[in-house]
């Protein structure tokens, strides 16, 4: 088998990306733990490139009302609030319904961790998954969350999932309002 030579600068850049990904993932996981130590019902997790729009507050109030409906009976809930990679075609087979301003999915999926809402039930499940699989800490948060979601799917653990359409908050790295850290920005 032929090996491709890698440029030392390229290897250093990849190493740095992996380190930053792990640090960002650690921050999300620390937020889950702090949330579980509180008496709050929902966590809305923002990354630094989430953009508030004039309508964001009113839309968030609507999302919180819908989260209460989804949480009824203690169901775990995940809601994507900032969009990200275009996934309409990729997620189409999972689509369950389109209530006003949202798309619900039959399985939990995420295309970004820029801004999302989870409830206590899901935070507890995700924290337990990280304890059981510490290697998740080395993944980017998007990949770690989807790995957890896939594992929950295999275990037939139902998770209510909705994505805001259009997003409640802008995803600055996708809209061009911020440069991501990989591009030398935030």
């Amino acid at each position: 088998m032929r090996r491709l030579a890698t440029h030392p600068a390229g290897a250093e850049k990849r190493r740095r990306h992996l380190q930053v990904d792990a640090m960002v993932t650690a921050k999300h996981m620390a937020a889950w733990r702090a949330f579980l130590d509180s008496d709050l019902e929902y966590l809305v997790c923002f990354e630094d490139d989430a953009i508030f729009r004039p309508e964001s507050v009113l839309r968030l109030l609507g999302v919180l009302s819908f989260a209460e409906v989804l949480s009824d009976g203690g169901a775990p809930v995940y809601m994507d609030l900032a969009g990200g990679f275009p996934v309409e075609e990729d997620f189409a087979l999972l689509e369950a319904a389109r209530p006003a301003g949202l798309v619900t999915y039959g399985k939990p999926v995420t295309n970004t961790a820029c801004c999302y809402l989870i409830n206590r039930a899901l935070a507890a499940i995700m924290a337990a998954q990280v304890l059981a699989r510490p290697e998740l800490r080395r993944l980017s948060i998007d990949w770690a969350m989807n790995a957890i979601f896939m594992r929950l799917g295999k275990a037939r653990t139902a998770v209510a999932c909705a994505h805001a359409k259009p997003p409640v908050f802008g995803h600055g790295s996708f809209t061009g309002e911020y440069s991501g850290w990989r591009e030398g920005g935030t």
Side-chain angles (χ1 to χ4, degrees):
M1 174 187 274
R2 186 174 152 203
R3 270 196 158 161
L4 295 175
T6 58
H7 190 275
E12 176 59 27
K13 186 176 182 180
R14 279 190 303 282
R15 187 183 65 71
R16 181 177 179 275
H17 286 187
L18 292 171
Q19 287 177 327
V20 173
D21 277 339
M23 288 187 297
V24 171
T25 297
K27 289 178 183 181
H28 281 264
M29 292 176 178
W32 303 343
R33 286 189 305 276
F35 169 54
L36 289 171
D37 289 340
S38 77
D39 60 352
L40 302 173
E41 292 299 317
Y42 301 100
L43 168 69
V44 178
C45 195
F46 292 88
E47 289 190 341
D48 60 357
D49 60 341
I51 307 291
F52 278 75
R53 304 281 186 225
E55 67 279 2
S56 292
V57 172
L58 286 177
R59 297 250 352 265
L60 181 59
L61 292 174
V63 165
L64 286 168
S65 294
F66 193 70
E68 287 182 26
V69 171
L70 293 176
S71 292
D72 192 32
V77 174
Y78 170 79
M79 300 180 82
D80 180 293
L81 304 179
F85 293 102
V87 293
E88 284 71 23
E89 288 182 31
D90 299 329
F91 289 2
L93 294 175
L94 300 175
E95 190 174 314
R98 285 189 172 257
L102 296 164
V103 176
T104 62
Y105 295 102
K107 293 182 177 183
V109 289
T110 186
N111 59 330
T112 180
C114 178
C115 186
Y116 58 90
L117 174 147
I118 58 176
N119 66 353
R120 293 187 75 67
L122 184 58
I125 290 169
M126 292 187 346
Q129 288 289 317
V130 172
L131 283 175
R133 297 184 61 210
E135 68 273 12
L136 291 169
R137 293 181 173 117
R138 293 191 313 251
L139 299 175
S140 71
I141 188 59
D142 309 42
W143 285 102
M145 289 172 67
N146 275 318
I148 291 169
F149 292 159
M150 287 186 286
R151 191 169 171 100
L152 295 177
K154 287 180 184 177
R156 301 192 187 279
T157 302
V159 176
C161 176
H163 288 218
K165 298 290 182 187
V168 173
F169 302 98
H171 189 279
S173 295
F174 282 89
T175 63
E177 293 167 90
Y178 284 99
S179 295
W181 62 266
R182 289 181 192 267
E183 290 80 37
T186 60

